[in-house]
Amino acid sequence: MVSATTDGEKSDIAPPSNALQLHGEYLLEYLWVDVYRARLYLPQGFQGDVLSPAVSKSLQLTYLYPLKREELIEAAWITLERQHSPTLLASLRDEIDQLHQRFSAIKPDDRYQLSYDSQQQSLTLLFNDEAVFRSQNPALAQVYLGIWLGENGLSEKLRSALLKQ
Protein backbone atom coordinates (compact mmCIF):
# COMPACT_ATOMS: atom_id res chain seq x y z
CA MET A 1 0.00 0.00 0.00
CA VAL A 2 1.31 3.46 -0.87
CA SER A 3 -0.19 6.54 0.67
CA ALA A 4 0.63 10.23 0.83
CA THR A 5 1.35 11.87 4.16
CA THR A 6 0.13 15.33 5.17
CA ASP A 7 3.38 16.88 3.98
CA GLY A 8 3.21 15.08 0.62
CA GLU A 9 5.80 12.44 1.47
CA LYS A 10 4.99 8.99 0.09
CA SER A 11 4.72 6.09 2.50
CA ASP A 12 4.86 2.42 1.57
CA ILE A 13 4.00 1.31 5.09
CA ALA A 14 0.69 -0.51 5.33
CA PRO A 15 -1.59 0.19 8.28
CA PRO A 16 -1.07 -2.23 11.18
CA SER A 17 -4.50 -3.83 10.80
CA ASN A 18 -7.48 -3.71 8.47
CA ALA A 19 -9.60 -2.74 11.49
CA LEU A 20 -7.50 0.36 12.18
CA GLN A 21 -7.08 3.41 9.98
CA LEU A 22 -4.60 6.25 9.97
CA HIS A 23 -5.97 8.86 12.36
CA GLY A 24 -3.12 11.35 12.65
CA GLU A 25 0.57 11.82 12.03
CA TYR A 26 3.36 14.14 13.00
CA LEU A 27 7.02 14.72 12.20
CA LEU A 28 8.85 15.14 15.50
CA GLU A 29 11.74 17.58 15.31
CA TYR A 30 14.25 18.33 18.04
CA LEU A 31 16.76 21.15 17.67
CA TRP A 32 16.00 21.39 13.93
CA VAL A 33 16.64 17.68 13.40
CA ASP A 34 13.90 15.38 12.09
CA VAL A 35 13.83 12.59 14.69
CA TYR A 36 10.87 10.42 13.65
CA ARG A 37 7.54 10.35 11.91
CA ALA A 38 4.74 9.20 14.20
CA ARG A 39 1.51 7.68 12.85
CA LEU A 40 -1.48 6.77 14.99
CA TYR A 41 -3.97 4.17 13.78
CA LEU A 42 -7.42 3.94 15.39
CA PRO A 43 -10.78 2.33 14.60
CA GLN A 44 -12.71 4.10 11.85
CA GLY A 45 -14.83 6.95 13.21
CA PHE A 46 -13.07 6.88 16.58
CA GLN A 47 -14.21 9.38 19.20
CA GLY A 48 -13.52 9.27 22.91
CA ASP A 49 -10.62 8.39 25.20
CA VAL A 50 -7.77 7.09 23.06
CA LEU A 51 -6.08 5.51 26.09
CA SER A 52 -9.15 3.52 27.14
CA PRO A 53 -8.54 -0.25 27.36
CA ALA A 54 -11.68 -0.62 25.21
CA VAL A 55 -9.97 1.05 22.23
CA SER A 56 -7.58 -0.80 19.91
CA LYS A 57 -4.77 1.39 18.67
CA SER A 58 -1.38 1.31 17.04
CA LEU A 59 1.40 3.89 17.17
CA GLN A 60 4.11 3.63 14.56
CA LEU A 61 7.41 5.52 14.85
CA THR A 62 9.64 5.60 11.77
CA TYR A 63 13.01 7.00 12.75
CA LEU A 64 14.90 9.47 10.58
CA TYR A 65 17.83 10.03 12.93
CA PRO A 66 20.07 7.56 14.76
CA LEU A 67 19.53 7.20 18.49
CA LYS A 68 21.17 5.13 21.19
CA ARG A 69 19.09 2.58 23.08
CA GLU A 70 19.86 4.43 26.32
CA GLU A 71 18.48 7.69 24.87
CA LEU A 72 15.15 5.99 24.12
CA ILE A 73 14.90 4.57 27.63
CA GLU A 74 15.90 7.85 29.29
CA ALA A 75 13.30 9.84 27.31
CA ALA A 76 10.62 7.28 28.20
CA TRP A 77 11.39 7.41 31.93
CA ILE A 78 11.53 11.22 32.02
CA THR A 79 8.07 11.37 30.47
CA LEU A 80 6.61 8.53 32.56
CA GLU A 81 7.87 10.11 35.79
CA ARG A 82 6.33 13.45 34.78
CA GLN A 83 2.98 11.82 34.01
CA HIS A 84 2.50 9.25 36.77
CA SER A 85 2.91 8.71 40.49
CA PRO A 86 5.86 6.75 41.85
CA THR A 87 3.36 4.20 43.21
CA LEU A 88 1.84 3.49 39.78
CA LEU A 89 5.24 3.30 38.10
CA ALA A 90 6.54 0.96 40.82
CA SER A 91 3.62 -1.40 40.14
CA LEU A 92 4.55 -1.51 36.43
CA ARG A 93 8.33 -1.29 36.81
CA ASP A 94 9.10 -4.95 36.01
CA GLU A 95 7.08 -4.90 32.79
CA ILE A 96 8.42 -1.50 31.72
CA ASP A 97 11.96 -2.79 32.31
CA GLN A 98 11.18 -5.92 30.26
CA LEU A 99 9.87 -3.75 27.42
CA HIS A 100 12.96 -1.51 27.58
CA GLN A 101 15.24 -4.57 27.48
CA ARG A 102 13.85 -5.22 24.00
CA PHE A 103 14.88 -1.80 22.67
CA SER A 104 17.71 -1.56 20.14
CA ALA A 105 19.88 1.26 18.91
CA ILE A 106 18.10 3.14 16.12
CA LYS A 107 19.29 3.72 12.58
CA PRO A 108 17.45 5.86 10.03
CA ASP A 109 14.43 3.96 8.59
CA ASP A 110 14.13 1.70 11.65
CA ARG A 111 10.56 1.41 12.85
CA TYR A 112 8.94 0.71 16.19
CA GLN A 113 5.25 -0.08 16.36
CA LEU A 114 3.37 -0.28 19.65
CA SER A 115 -0.06 -1.87 19.21
CA TYR A 116 -2.82 -2.55 21.69
CA ASP A 117 -5.58 -5.06 20.84
CA SER A 118 -8.64 -4.36 22.99
CA GLN A 119 -10.22 -7.76 22.38
CA GLN A 120 -7.11 -9.69 23.43
CA GLN A 121 -6.10 -6.99 25.94
CA SER A 122 -2.57 -7.34 24.63
CA LEU A 123 0.22 -4.89 23.95
CA THR A 124 2.74 -5.80 21.25
CA LEU A 125 5.99 -4.03 20.39
CA LEU A 126 7.34 -4.59 16.90
CA PHE A 127 10.81 -3.55 15.78
CA ASN A 128 11.10 -3.45 12.00
CA ASP A 129 7.98 -5.64 11.75
CA GLU A 130 9.28 -8.30 14.16
CA ALA A 131 7.48 -8.84 17.47
CA VAL A 132 9.99 -8.28 20.27
CA PHE A 133 7.68 -7.84 23.30
CA ARG A 134 4.14 -8.78 24.36
CA SER A 135 2.12 -8.07 27.48
CA GLN A 136 -1.40 -8.95 28.60
CA ASN A 137 -1.54 -5.94 30.93
CA PRO A 138 -3.93 -3.18 29.74
CA ALA A 139 -2.54 -0.83 32.43
CA LEU A 140 0.92 -1.10 30.88
CA ALA A 141 -0.54 -0.29 27.46
CA GLN A 142 -2.38 2.75 28.80
CA VAL A 143 0.63 4.11 30.67
CA TYR A 144 3.21 3.43 27.95
CA LEU A 145 1.15 4.67 25.00
CA GLY A 146 0.42 7.69 27.17
CA ILE A 147 4.01 8.81 26.58
CA TRP A 148 2.77 10.00 23.17
CA LEU A 149 -0.99 10.14 23.64
CA GLY A 150 -1.50 11.28 27.25
CA GLU A 151 -1.50 14.62 29.05
CA ASN A 152 1.97 16.02 29.87
CA GLY A 153 3.51 13.59 27.41
CA LEU A 154 6.51 13.80 25.17
CA SER A 155 5.15 16.69 23.08
CA GLU A 156 1.81 18.48 23.11
CA LYS A 157 2.15 19.29 19.38
CA LEU A 158 2.76 15.60 18.66
CA ARG A 159 -0.22 14.55 20.79
CA SER A 160 -2.54 17.13 19.23
CA ALA A 161 -1.55 16.16 15.68
CA LEU A 162 -1.97 12.43 16.33
CA LEU A 163 -5.35 12.95 18.02
CA LYS A 164 -6.39 15.72 15.58
CA GLN A 165 -7.29 18.12 18.38
Side-chain angles (χ1 to χ4, degrees), residues 24-138:
E25 64 185 307
Y26 186 75
L27 176 63
L28 183 75
E29 297 173 335
Y30 182 72
L31 300 176
W32 302 283
V33 173
D34 294 345
V35 179
Y36 59 72
R37 178 170 305 284
R39 291 182 173 97
L40 177 63
Y41 295 87
L42 294 171
Q44 182 175 3
F46 168 79
Q47 293 183 342
D49 179 7
V50 71
L51 292 174
S52 166
V55 178
S56 291
K57 60 200 121 287
S58 185
L59 178 68
Q60 190 176 80
L61 305 175
T62 303
Y63 287 84
L64 306 168
Y65 186 81
L67 293 169
K68 296 176 184 172
R69 174 182 179 273
E70 296 78 18
E71 292 172 315
L72 299 173
I73 295 168
E74 180 182 2
W77 275 116
I78 288 170
T79 305
L80 290 168
E81 288 170 349
R82 180 174 58 239
Q83 292 178 305
H84 303 287
S85 71
T87 303
L88 176 61
L89 293 177
S91 72
L92 295 171
R93 180 75 192 217
D94 287 344
E95 283 187 282
I96 293 171
D97 287 345
Q98 289 172 27
L99 186 144
H100 287 167
Q101 287 173 359
R102 305 307 301 168
F103 283 3
S104 298
I106 297 293
K107 305 179 306 294
D109 295 325
D110 279 345
R111 185 173 55 255
Y112 273 112
Q113 184 172 315
L114 197 56
S115 299
Y116 175 73
D117 181 326
S118 62
Q119 291 183 341
Q120 303 293 319
Q121 293 194 331
S122 65
L123 178 70
T124 303
L125 176 68
L126 301 175
F127 180 64
N128 294 331
D129 300 323
E130 179 183 333
V132 295
F133 176 83
R134 284 199 173 86
S135 170
Q136 296 295 128
N137 186 346

